[in-house]
Coordinates of all heavy atoms in Angstrom, one line a residue:
S23 N 0.8 -1.2 0.0 CA 0.0 0.0 0.0 C 0.9 1.3 0.0 O 2.0 1.2 0.4 CB -0.9 0.0 1.2 OG -0.3 0.5 2.3
V24 N 0.3 2.3 -0.4 CA 1.0 3.6 -0.5 C 1.5 4.0 0.9 O 2.6 4.4 1.1 CB 0.1 4.7 -1.1 CG1 0.8 6.1 -1.0 CG2 -0.1 4.4 -2.6
N25 N 0.6 3.9 1.9 CA 0.9 4.3 3.3 C 2.1 3.5 3.8 O 3.0 4.1 4.4 CB -0.3 4.2 4.2 CG -1.2 5.4 4.0 OD1 -0.8 6.5 4.2 ND2 -2.5 5.1 3.7
L26 N 2.1 2.2 3.6 CA 3.2 1.3 4.0 C 4.5 1.8 3.4 O 5.5 1.8 4.1 CB 2.8 -0.1 3.7 CG 3.9 -1.1 4.2 CD1 4.1 -1.1 5.7 CD2 3.5 -2.5 3.8
C27 N 4.5 2.0 2.1 CA 5.7 2.5 1.4 C 6.2 3.8 2.0 O 7.4 3.9 2.3 CB 5.4 2.7 -0.1 SG 5.2 1.1 -0.9
L28 N 5.3 4.7 2.2 CA 5.7 6.0 2.8 C 6.2 5.9 4.2 O 7.1 6.6 4.7 CB 4.5 7.0 2.7 CG 4.2 7.5 1.3 CD1 2.9 8.3 1.3 CD2 5.3 8.3 0.6
E29 N 5.6 5.0 5.0 CA 6.0 4.8 6.4 C 7.4 4.2 6.5 O 8.1 4.4 7.5 CB 5.1 3.8 7.1 CG 3.7 4.3 7.4 CD 2.7 3.3 7.8 OE1 3.0 2.1 7.9 OE2 1.5 3.7 8.0
N30 N 7.9 3.6 5.4 CA 9.2 3.0 5.4 C 10.3 3.8 4.6 O 11.4 3.3 4.4 CB 9.1 1.6 5.0 CG 8.4 0.7 6.0 OD1 9.0 0.4 7.0 ND2 7.2 0.3 5.7
A31 N 9.9 4.9 4.0 CA 10.7 5.7 3.1 C 11.5 6.8 3.9 O 11.0 7.3 4.8 CB 9.9 6.3 2.0
T32 N 12.7 7.1 3.4 CA 13.4 8.2 3.9 C 13.6 9.3 2.8 O 13.8 10.4 3.1 CB 14.8 7.8 4.4 OG1 15.5 7.1 3.4 CG2 14.6 7.0 5.7
I33 N 13.5 8.8 1.5 CA 13.5 9.7 0.4 C 12.3 9.4 -0.5 O 12.1 8.2 -0.8 CB 14.8 9.5 -0.4 CG1 16.0 9.8 0.4 CG2 14.8 10.4 -1.7 CD1 17.4 9.5 -0.2
V34 N 11.6 10.4 -1.0 CA 10.4 10.1 -1.8 C 10.5 11.0 -3.0 O 10.8 12.2 -2.9 CB 9.1 10.4 -1.0 CG1 7.9 10.3 -1.9 CG2 9.0 9.5 0.2
K35 N 10.2 10.5 -4.2 CA 10.1 11.2 -5.5 C 8.7 11.0 -6.0 O 8.3 9.8 -6.2 CB 11.2 10.8 -6.4 CG 11.1 11.5 -7.8 CD 10.5 10.6 -8.8 CE 10.3 11.3 -10.1 NZ 9.2 10.6 -10.8
I36 N 7.9 12.0 -6.2 CA 6.6 11.9 -6.7 C 6.5 12.9 -7.9 O 6.9 14.1 -7.8 CB 5.6 12.3 -5.6 CG1 5.7 11.4 -4.4 CG2 4.1 12.2 -6.2 CD1 4.9 11.9 -3.2
S37 N 5.8 12.6 -8.9 CA 5.5 13.5 -10.0 C 4.3 14.3 -9.7 O 3.4 13.9 -8.9 CB 5.3 12.8 -11.4 OG 4.1 12.1 -11.4
D38 N 4.1 15.5 -10.4 CA 3.0 16.3 -10.1 C 1.7 15.6 -10.6 O 0.6 15.9 -10.2 CB 3.1 17.7 -10.8 CG 3.4 17.6 -12.3 OD1 3.6 16.6 -12.8 OD2 3.3 18.7 -12.9
E39 N 1.8 14.6 -11.5 CA 0.7 13.8 -12.0 C 0.3 12.8 -10.9 O -0.9 12.5 -10.8 CB 1.0 13.1 -13.3 CG 1.2 14.1 -14.5 CD 1.7 13.4 -15.7 OE1 2.1 12.2 -15.7 OE2 1.7 14.1 -16.8
E40 N 1.2 12.3 -10.2 CA 0.9 11.3 -9.2 C 0.4 12.0 -7.9 O -0.3 11.3 -7.1 CB 2.2 10.5 -8.8 CG 2.7 9.7 -10.0 CD 4.2 9.2 -9.7 OE1 4.9 9.9 -9.0 OE2 4.5 8.2 -10.3
L41 N 0.8 13.2 -7.6 CA 0.6 13.9 -6.4 C -0.9 13.9 -6.0 O -1.2 13.6 -4.8 CB 1.2 15.3 -6.4 CG 1.3 16.0 -5.1 CD1 2.1 15.2 -4.1 CD2 1.9 17.4 -5.3
P42 N -1.8 14.3 -6.8 CA -3.2 14.3 -6.4 C -3.7 12.9 -6.0 O -4.5 12.7 -5.0 CB -4.0 14.7 -7.6 CG -3.0 15.4 -8.5 CD -1.7 14.8 -8.2
V43 N -3.2 11.8 -6.6 CA -3.6 10.5 -6.2 C -3.0 10.1 -4.9 O -3.8 9.6 -4.0 CB -3.1 9.4 -7.3 CG1 -3.4 8.0 -6.9 CG2 -3.8 9.8 -8.7
I44 N -1.8 10.4 -4.7 CA -1.1 10.2 -3.4 C -1.9 10.9 -2.2 O -2.2 10.4 -1.2 CB 0.4 10.6 -3.4 CG1 1.1 9.8 -4.4 CG2 1.0 10.4 -2.0 CD1 1.2 8.3 -4.2
N45 N -2.1 12.2 -2.5 CA -2.8 13.0 -1.5 C -4.2 12.4 -1.2 O -4.6 12.4 0.0 CB -3.0 14.5 -2.0 CG -1.8 15.3 -1.8 OD1 -0.9 15.0 -0.9 ND2 -1.6 16.3 -2.7
E46 N -4.9 12.0 -2.2 CA -6.3 11.4 -1.9 C -6.2 10.1 -1.1 O -6.9 9.9 -0.2 CB -6.9 11.1 -3.3 CG -8.4 10.7 -3.2 CD -9.3 11.7 -2.5 OE1 -9.2 12.9 -2.7 OE2 -10.2 11.2 -1.8
I47 N -5.2 9.3 -1.4 CA -5.0 8.0 -0.7 C -4.6 8.3 0.8 O -5.1 7.7 1.7 CB -4.0 7.1 -1.4 CG1 -4.5 6.6 -2.7 CG2 -3.6 5.9 -0.5 CD1 -3.5 5.9 -3.6
V48 N -3.6 9.2 0.9 CA -3.0 9.4 2.3 C -3.9 10.3 3.1 O -4.1 10.0 4.3 CB -1.6 10.0 2.1 CG1 -1.0 10.3 3.5 CG2 -0.7 8.9 1.4
F49 N -4.4 11.4 2.5 CA -5.1 12.4 3.3 C -6.6 12.5 3.1 O -7.3 13.2 3.8 CB -4.5 13.8 3.1 CG -3.0 13.8 3.4 CD1 -2.1 13.9 2.4 CD2 -2.6 13.8 4.7 CE1 -0.7 13.9 2.7 CE2 -1.2 13.8 5.0 CZ -0.3 13.9 4.0
G50 N -7.1 11.9 1.9 CA -8.5 12.1 1.6 C -8.8 13.5 1.0 O -9.9 13.9 0.9
L51 N -7.7 14.3 0.7 CA -7.8 15.7 0.2 C -6.7 15.9 -0.8 O -5.8 15.1 -0.9 CB -7.6 16.7 1.3 CG -8.3 16.6 2.7 CD1 -7.6 17.5 3.7 CD2 -9.7 17.1 2.5
N52 N -6.7 17.0 -1.4 CA -5.6 17.4 -2.3 C -5.0 18.7 -1.8 O -5.7 19.6 -1.4 CB -6.1 17.5 -3.8 CG -4.9 17.4 -4.7 OD1 -3.8 17.2 -4.3 ND2 -5.2 17.6 -6.0
F53 N -3.7 18.9 -2.0 CA -3.0 20.1 -1.6 C -2.1 20.5 -2.8 O -1.8 19.7 -3.6 CB -2.1 19.8 -0.4 CG -2.8 19.3 0.8 CD1 -2.7 17.9 1.1 CD2 -3.5 20.1 1.7 CE1 -3.3 17.4 2.2 CE2 -4.1 19.6 2.8 CZ -4.0 18.3 3.1
D54 N -1.7 21.8 -2.8 CA -0.8 22.2 -3.8 C 0.6 21.6 -3.5 O 0.8 20.9 -2.5 CB -0.7 23.7 -3.9 CG -0.2 24.4 -2.6 OD1 0.5 23.7 -1.8 OD2 -0.4 25.6 -2.4
T55 N 1.5 21.8 -4.4 CA 2.8 21.1 -4.3 C 3.5 21.4 -3.0 O 4.0 20.5 -2.3 CB 3.7 21.5 -5.5 OG1 3.1 21.2 -6.7 CG2 5.1 20.9 -5.4
E56 N 3.6 22.7 -2.6 CA 4.4 23.0 -1.4 C 3.7 22.5 -0.1 O 4.3 21.9 0.8 CB 4.5 24.5 -1.3 CG 5.5 25.1 -2.3 CD 5.0 25.1 -3.7 OE1 3.8 25.2 -3.9 OE2 5.8 25.1 -4.7
N57 N 2.4 22.6 -0.1 CA 1.6 22.1 1.1 C 1.7 20.6 1.1 O 1.7 20.0 2.2 CB 0.2 22.6 1.1 CG 0.1 24.0 1.6 OD1 0.9 24.5 2.4 ND2 -0.8 24.8 1.0
S58 N 1.7 19.9 0.0 CA 1.8 18.5 0.0 C 3.1 18.0 0.6 O 3.2 17.1 1.4 CB 1.8 17.9 -1.5 OG 0.5 18.2 -2.0
A59 N 4.2 18.7 0.3 CA 5.5 18.3 0.8 C 5.5 18.5 2.4 O 6.0 17.7 3.1 CB 6.6 19.2 0.2
V60 N 4.9 19.6 2.8 CA 4.8 19.9 4.3 C 4.0 18.8 4.9 O 4.4 18.2 6.0 CB 4.2 21.3 4.5 CG1 3.9 21.4 6.0 CG2 5.2 22.3 4.1
K61 N 2.8 18.5 4.4 CA 1.9 17.5 5.0 C 2.5 16.1 5.0 O 2.4 15.4 6.0 CB 0.6 17.5 4.2 CG -0.2 18.8 4.3 CD -0.8 19.0 5.7 CE -1.7 20.2 5.7 NZ -2.1 20.6 7.1
L62 N 3.2 15.8 3.9 CA 3.8 14.4 3.9 C 4.9 14.3 5.0 O 5.1 13.3 5.7 CB 4.4 14.1 2.5 CG 3.4 13.8 1.5 CD1 4.0 13.8 0.1 CD2 2.8 12.4 1.7
S63 N 5.7 15.4 5.1 CA 6.8 15.3 6.1 C 6.3 15.4 7.5 O 6.9 14.9 8.4 CB 7.9 16.4 5.8 OG 7.3 17.7 5.9
E64 N 5.1 16.0 7.7 CA 4.5 16.0 9.0 C 4.0 14.6 9.4 O 4.1 14.1 10.5 CB 3.4 17.0 9.1 CG 3.9 18.5 9.2 CD 2.8 19.5 9.1 OE1 1.6 19.1 8.8 OE2 3.1 20.7 9.2
K65 N 3.3 14.0 8.4 CA 2.7 12.7 8.7 C 3.8 11.6 8.7 O 3.6 10.6 9.5 CB 1.7 12.4 7.6 CG 1.0 11.0 7.8 CD -0.2 10.9 6.9 CE -0.9 9.5 7.1 NZ -2.0 9.5 8.1
F66 N 4.8 11.7 7.9 CA 5.9 10.7 7.9 C 7.2 11.4 8.2 O 8.0 11.7 7.3 CB 5.9 10.1 6.5 CG 4.6 9.5 6.0 CD1 3.8 10.2 5.2 CD2 4.2 8.3 6.5 CE1 2.6 9.6 4.8 CE2 3.0 7.7 6.1 CZ 2.2 8.4 5.3
P67 N 7.5 11.6 9.5 CA 8.7 12.4 9.9 C 10.0 11.8 9.5 O 11.0 12.4 9.5 CB 8.5 12.6 11.4 CG 7.6 11.5 11.8 CD 6.7 11.2 10.6
Q68 N 10.0 10.5 9.2 CA 11.3 9.8 8.9 C 11.7 10.1 7.5 O 12.9 9.9 7.1 CB 11.2 8.3 9.1 CG 10.6 7.5 7.9 CD 9.1 7.7 7.7 OE1 8.4 8.3 8.6 NE2 8.6 7.3 6.6
I69 N 10.8 10.7 6.7 CA 11.1 11.1 5.3 C 12.0 12.4 5.4 O 11.5 13.4 5.9 CB 9.9 11.3 4.4 CG1 9.1 10.0 4.3 CG2 10.3 11.9 3.0 CD1 7.8 10.2 3.5
K70 N 13.2 12.3 4.9 CA 14.1 13.5 5.0 C 14.2 14.3 3.8 O 14.5 15.5 3.8 CB 15.5 13.0 5.4 CG 15.6 12.2 6.7 CD 15.0 13.1 7.9 CE 15.1 12.3 9.2 NZ 14.4 12.9 10.2
I71 N 13.9 13.7 2.6 CA 14.0 14.4 1.3 C 12.7 14.0 0.5 O 12.4 12.9 0.3 CB 15.2 14.0 0.5 CG1 16.5 14.3 1.3 CG2 15.2 14.7 -0.9 CD1 17.7 13.8 0.6
I72 N 12.0 15.1 0.1 CA 10.8 14.9 -0.8 C 11.1 15.7 -2.1 O 11.4 16.9 -2.0 CB 9.5 15.4 -0.1 CG1 9.3 14.6 1.2 CG2 8.3 15.3 -1.1 CD1 8.1 15.1 2.0
I73 N 11.0 15.0 -3.2 CA 11.2 15.6 -4.5 C 9.9 15.5 -5.2 O 9.3 14.3 -5.4 CB 12.3 14.9 -5.3 CG1 13.6 14.9 -4.5 CG2 12.5 15.5 -6.7 CD1 14.7 14.0 -5.0
I74 N 9.3 16.6 -5.7 CA 8.1 16.6 -6.5 C 8.5 17.2 -7.9 O 8.8 18.3 -8.0 CB 7.0 17.4 -5.8 CG1 6.7 16.8 -4.4 CG2 5.7 17.4 -6.7 CD1 5.7 17.6 -3.6
T75 N 8.4 16.3 -8.9 CA 8.8 16.8 -10.2 C 7.6 17.4 -10.9 O 6.4 17.0 -10.7 CB 9.3 15.6 -11.1 OG1 8.3 14.6 -11.2 CG2 10.6 15.0 -10.5
K76 N 7.8 18.4 -11.7 CA 6.8 19.1 -12.4 C 7.0 19.2 -13.9 O 6.8 20.3 -14.5 CB 6.7 20.5 -11.8 CG 6.4 20.5 -10.3 CD 6.2 22.0 -9.8 CE 7.1 22.3 -8.7 NZ 6.9 23.6 -8.2
G77 N 7.5 18.2 -14.5 CA 7.7 18.2 -15.9 C 8.7 19.3 -16.3 O 9.7 19.5 -15.7
E78 N 8.3 20.0 -17.4 CA 9.1 21.1 -17.9 C 9.2 22.3 -16.9 O 10.1 23.2 -17.0 CB 8.6 21.6 -19.2 CG 8.7 20.6 -20.3 CD 8.2 21.1 -21.6 OE1 7.8 22.3 -21.7 OE2 8.1 20.3 -22.6
K79 N 8.3 22.3 -15.9 CA 8.3 23.4 -14.9 C 9.4 23.2 -13.8 O 9.5 24.0 -12.9 CB 7.0 23.5 -14.2 CG 5.9 23.9 -15.2 CD 4.6 23.9 -14.5 CE 3.4 24.0 -15.4 NZ 2.1 23.8 -14.7
G80 N 10.2 22.1 -13.9 CA 11.2 21.9 -12.9 C 10.7 21.0 -11.8 O 10.0 20.0 -12.0
L81 N 11.2 21.2 -10.5 CA 10.8 20.4 -9.4 C 10.9 21.2 -8.1 O 11.5 22.2 -8.1 CB 11.8 19.2 -9.3 CG 13.3 19.4 -9.3 CD1 13.8 19.5 -7.9 CD2 14.0 18.3 -10.0
T82 N 10.3 20.6 -7.1 CA 10.3 21.1 -5.8 C 11.0 20.1 -4.9 O 10.7 18.9 -5.0 CB 8.9 21.4 -5.2 OG1 8.3 22.4 -6.0 CG2 8.9 21.8 -3.8
I83 N 12.0 20.6 -4.1 CA 12.7 19.7 -3.2 C 12.4 20.2 -1.8 O 12.6 21.4 -1.5 CB 14.2 19.7 -3.5 CG1 14.5 19.1 -4.9 CG2 14.9 18.8 -2.4 CD1 15.9 19.2 -5.3
S84 N 12.1 19.3 -0.9 CA 11.9 19.6 0.5 C 12.9 18.8 1.3 O 12.9 17.6 1.2 CB 10.5 19.3 1.0 OG 10.4 19.5 2.4
L85 N 13.9 19.4 1.9 CA 14.9 18.7 2.7 C 14.5 18.9 4.2 O 14.6 20.0 4.7 CB 16.3 19.3 2.5 CG 16.7 19.3 1.0 CD1 18.0 20.1 0.9 CD2 16.9 17.9 0.6
E86 N 14.1 17.8 4.8 CA 13.7 17.9 6.2 C 12.7 19.0 6.4 O 12.9 19.8 7.4 CB 14.9 17.9 7.2 CG 15.7 16.6 7.1 CD 16.6 16.4 8.2 OE1 16.2 16.5 9.4 OE2 17.8 16.3 7.9
N87 N 11.8 19.2 5.5 CA 10.7 20.2 5.6 C 11.3 21.6 5.4 O 10.7 22.6 5.8 CB 9.9 20.1 6.9 CG 8.6 20.7 6.8 OD1 8.1 20.9 5.7 ND2 8.0 21.1 7.9
I88 N 12.4 21.8 4.7 CA 12.9 23.1 4.3 C 12.8 23.1 2.8 O 13.3 22.3 2.1 CB 14.4 23.3 4.7 CG1 14.6 23.2 6.2 CG2 14.9 24.6 4.2 CD1 13.9 24.3 7.0
Q89 N 12.1 24.2 2.3 CA 11.8 24.2 0.8 C 12.5 25.3 0.1 O 12.8 26.4 0.7 CB 10.3 24.4 0.6 CG 9.5 23.2 1.1 CD 8.0 23.4 0.9 OE1 7.5 24.4 0.3 NE2 7.2 22.4 1.3
F90 N 12.9 25.1 -1.1 CA 13.6 26.0 -2.0 C 12.7 26.5 -3.1 O 11.8 25.9 -3.4 CB 14.8 25.3 -2.6 CG 15.8 24.9 -1.5 CD1 15.7 23.7 -0.8 CD2 16.9 25.6 -1.2 CE1 16.6 23.3 0.1 CE2 17.9 25.2 -0.3 CZ 17.7 24.1 0.4
E91 N 13.1 27.7 -3.6 CA 12.4 28.2 -4.8 C 12.6 27.2 -5.9 O 13.6 26.5 -6.0 CB 13.0 29.6 -5.2 CG 12.9 30.7 -4.2 CD 11.5 31.2 -4.1 OE1 10.6 30.9 -4.9 OE2 11.2 31.8 -3.0
P92 N 11.6 27.1 -6.9 CA 11.7 26.2 -8.0 C 12.9 26.5 -8.8 O 13.3 27.7 -9.0 CB 10.4 26.5 -8.8 CG 9.4 27.1 -7.8 CD 10.3 27.8 -6.8
D93 N 13.6 25.5 -9.3 CA 14.8 25.6 -10.1 C 15.8 26.5 -9.5 O 16.5 27.3 -10.2 CB 14.4 26.1 -11.5 CG 13.4 25.1 -12.2 OD1 13.6 23.9 -12.0 OD2 12.5 25.6 -12.9
S94 N 16.1 26.4 -8.2 CA 17.0 27.3 -7.6 C 17.5 26.7 -6.3 O 17.0 25.8 -5.8 CB 16.2 28.6 -7.2 OG 17.0 29.4 -6.4
N95 N 18.7 27.2 -5.9 CA 19.2 26.8 -4.6 C 18.9 27.8 -3.5 O 19.5 27.9 -2.5 CB 20.7 26.6 -4.7 CG 21.5 27.8 -5.0 OD1 20.9 28.9 -5.4 ND2 22.8 27.7 -5.0
V96 N 17.9 28.7 -3.8 CA 17.5 29.8 -2.9 C 16.4 29.3 -2.1 O 15.4 28.8 -2.6 CB 17.1 31.1 -3.7 CG1 16.6 32.2 -2.8 CG2 18.3 31.6 -4.6
L97 N 16.6 29.5 -0.7 CA 15.5 29.1 0.2 C 14.3 30.1 0.0 O 14.5 31.2 -0.3 CB 15.9 29.3 1.6 CG 16.9 28.3 2.2 CD1 17.4 28.7 3.6 CD2 16.2 26.9 2.3
R98 N 13.1 29.5 0.1 CA 11.9 30.3 0.0 C 12.0 31.3 1.2 O 12.5 30.9 2.3 CB 10.6 29.5 0.2 CG 10.4 28.7 -1.0 CD 9.1 27.9 -0.8 NE 8.8 27.1 -2.0 CZ 8.1 27.5 -3.0 NH1 7.6 28.7 -3.0 NH2 7.9 26.7 -4.1
A99 N 11.5 32.5 1.1 CA 11.6 33.5 2.2 C 11.0 33.0 3.5 O 11.6 33.1 4.5 CB 10.9 34.8 1.7
S100 N 9.9 32.3 3.4 CA 9.2 31.7 4.6 C 10.1 30.6 5.2 O 9.9 30.3 6.4 CB 7.9 31.2 4.2 OG 8.0 30.1 3.3
E101 N 11.0 30.0 4.5 CA 11.8 28.9 5.0 C 13.1 29.4 5.7 O 13.6 28.6 6.5 CB 12.1 28.0 3.9 CG 10.9 27.4 3.1 CD 10.0 26.6 4.1 OE1 10.5 25.6 4.7 OE2 8.9 27.0 4.2
K102 N 13.5 30.6 5.4 CA 14.8 31.0 5.9 C 14.7 31.1 7.5 O 15.6 30.7 8.2 CB 15.1 32.4 5.4 CG 15.6 32.3 3.9 CD 15.9 33.7 3.4 CE 16.3 33.5 1.9 NZ 16.6 34.8 1.3
I103 N 13.5 31.5 8.0 CA 13.3 31.6 9.4 C 13.5 30.2 10.0 O 14.2 30.0 11.0 CB 12.0 32.2 9.7 CG1 12.0 33.7 9.3 CG2 11.7 32.1 11.2 CD1 10.6 34.3 9.3
K104 N 12.8 29.2 9.5 CA 12.8 27.8 10.0 C 14.2 27.3 9.9 O 14.7 26.7 10.9 CB 11.9 26.9 9.2 CG 10.4 27.2 9.4 CD 9.5 26.0 8.9 CE 9.7 25.7 7.5 NZ 8.7 24.8 7.0
F105 N 14.9 27.5 8.8 CA 16.3 27.0 8.6 C 17.2 27.5 9.7 O 17.9 26.8 10.3 CB 16.7 27.3 7.2 CG 18.1 26.8 6.9 CD1 18.3 25.4 6.7 CD2 19.2 27.6 6.9 CE1 19.5 24.9 6.4 CE2 20.5 27.1 6.6 CZ 20.6 25.8 6.4
F106 N 17.2 28.9 9.9 CA 18.2 29.5 10.8 C 17.8 29.2 12.2 O 18.6 29.1 13.1 CB 18.4 30.9 10.4 CG 19.1 31.1 9.1 CD1 18.4 31.6 8.0 CD2 20.4 30.7 9.0 CE1 19.1 31.7 6.8 CE2 21.1 30.8 7.8 CZ 20.4 31.3 6.7
E107 N 16.5 29.1 12.5 CA 16.0 28.8 13.9 C 16.5 27.4 14.3 O 17.0 27.2 15.4 CB 14.5 28.9 14.0 CG 14.0 30.2 14.2 CD 12.4 30.3 14.2 OE1 11.8 29.2 14.0 OE2 11.9 31.3 14.4
G108 N 16.4 26.5 13.3 CA 16.8 25.1 13.6 C 18.3 25.0 13.8 O 18.8 24.1 14.6
R109 N 19.1 25.8 13.2 CA 20.6 25.7 13.3 C 21.0 26.3 14.7 O 22.1 26.0 15.2 CB 21.2 26.5 12.2 CG 21.0 25.8 10.9 CD 21.7 26.6 9.8 NE 23.1 26.5 10.1 CZ 24.0 25.9 9.3 NH1 23.7 25.4 8.2 NH2 25.3 25.9 9.6
N110 N 20.2 27.2 15.3 CA 20.5 27.8 16.5 C 20.1 27.0 17.8 O 20.5 27.3 18.9 CB 19.9 29.2 16.6 CG 20.5 30.1 15.6 OD1 21.7 30.0 15.3 ND2 19.7 31.1 15.2
S111 N 19.3 25.9 17.5 CA 18.9 25.1 18.7 C 19.8 24.0 19.0 O 20.8 23.7 18.4 CB 17.5 24.6 18.5 OG 17.2 24.2 17.2

């Protein structure tokens, strides 16, 4: 089952075409790409890296629930606070 696979995963790669199906199975709802990564990492805390591919639009990578701008190594503005708070603890 999808839940069993996610419960045992530490790295997950999902396409944007698969994402609505995964969300429906796991949560019974659908979320946008960024919220999907957050929700998955909250439900499955052992997952350290989530990659969501978006075809020609690039991909979203979430590293231990820290997200970057699409096609960039730049942290999203909202993520900089979480990243630096985590390093100070």
Side-chain angles (χ1 to χ4, degrees):
S23 87
V24 170
N25 280 304
L26 181 61
C27 290
L28 291 171
E29 287 168 2
N30 291 288
T32 56
I33 300 173
V34 174
K35 180 259 174 204
I36 304 169
S37 75
D38 59 351
E39 294 173 350
E40 299 164 330
L41 194 57
V43 176
I44 299 295
N45 281 333
E46 185 63 36
I47 291 169
V48 174
F49 302 107
L51 312 163
N52 200 5
F53 303 102
D54 62 20
T55 301
E56 288 74 24
N57 284 323
S58 293
V60 169
K61 295 291 186 188
L62 285 168
S63 61
E64 288 173 352
K65 183 167 176 98
F66 305 101
Q68 83 290 347
I69 297 175
K70 301 302 181 192
I71 300 172
I72 299 172
I73 301 166
I74 302 173
T75 60
K76 302 186 233 181
E78 293 180 7
K79 297 178 194 170
L81 55 92
T82 295
I83 298 175
S84 176
L85 303 171
E86 295 193 58
N87 203 21
I88 300 293
Q89 296 181 0
F90 295 83
E91 296 291 343
D93 299 322
S94 169
N95 64 351
V96 177
L97 285 171
R98 291 180 179 272
S100 61
E101 301 301 298
K102 290 179 183 178
I103 294 168
K104 289 194 305 189
F105 181 75
F106 291 110
E107 282 178 353
R109 294 183 63 119
N110 293 331
S111 35

